Amino acid sequence: MKLPNEHQAVMPYLMLNKANEFYAFTRTVFNAEETLRKLRDDEKTIMHSEIQINGNTIMYCDATDEWKPQTANLFIYVEDADITFKKAQDAGAEIVMPLNNQDYGRTCGVKDPFGNTWWITATNE
């Protein structure tokens, strides 16, 4: 199977209110890089956009009357869960699960201002 560059076989596709602000959040918290952006005819509404976080793609768009908001739970490995947790809070995320140590790593959960829950984890290695 041949996949387009920068794509994986399974990728989340989020339909969000304030999709442009979602990109700003992911850039600030997870160092996301936008790889594609297509706007609707009004030149404001995101019809389709893609970001990369550590080589993984998340697709998203602005929700519309036809395509209602659809958010997700996303599990993400990071280098330092404490730093990422602080960045997420500073960027407006709500704490779902405080930082704690588990057998699989240092972990926490935050809900971003767009309704997505991020399960942030740094491994014990």
Side-chain angles (χ1 to χ4, degrees):
M1 169 173 59
K2 176 116 172 83
L3 298 174
N5 288 339
E6 300 178 348
H7 284 185
Q8 299 77 51
V10 176
M11 295 174 285
Y13 199 117
L14 310 174
M15 296 173 188
L16 307 168
N17 292 320
K18 301 180 182 179
N20 196 51
E21 292 177 27
F22 170 77
Y23 171 55
F25 176 87
T26 59
R27 187 179 63 234
T28 298
V29 178
F30 302 112
N31 300 316
E33 293 181 26
E34 187 175 66
T35 57
L36 178 67
R37 176 179 287 225
K38 293 184 180 186
L39 300 177
R40 295 198 177 275
D41 290 339
D42 65 7
E43 297 185 15
K44 296 177 191 171
T45 307
I46 296 174
M47 182 169 63
H48 179 83
S49 191
E50 297 179 9
I51 56 173
Q52 287 268 315
I53 300 174
N54 291 328
N56 295 278
T57 302
I58 297 175
M59 297 178 173
Y60 64 97
C61 66
D62 273 303
T64 64
D65 288 339
E66 181 181 4
W67 301 103
K68 304 294 184 204
Q70 296 183 34
T71 58
N73 279 267
L74 301 158
F75 186 96
I76 184 166
Y77 283 110
V78 297
E79 286 292 322
D80 188 313
D82 293 74
I83 290 172
T84 305
F85 181 65
K86 173 87 168 86
K87 285 182 182 180
Q89 286 182 283
D90 291 347
E94 164 191 331
I95 300 169
V96 174
M97 183 179 79
L99 273 165
N100 65 83
N101 295 314
Q102 298 291 330
D103 57 350
Y104 54 87
R106 183 120 172 104
T107 191
C108 63
V110 299
K111 183 176 282 190
D112 69 27
F114 318 97
N116 303 292
T117 300
W118 297 84
W119 300 102
I120 300 167
T121 301
T123 63
N124 291 328
E125 296 177 17

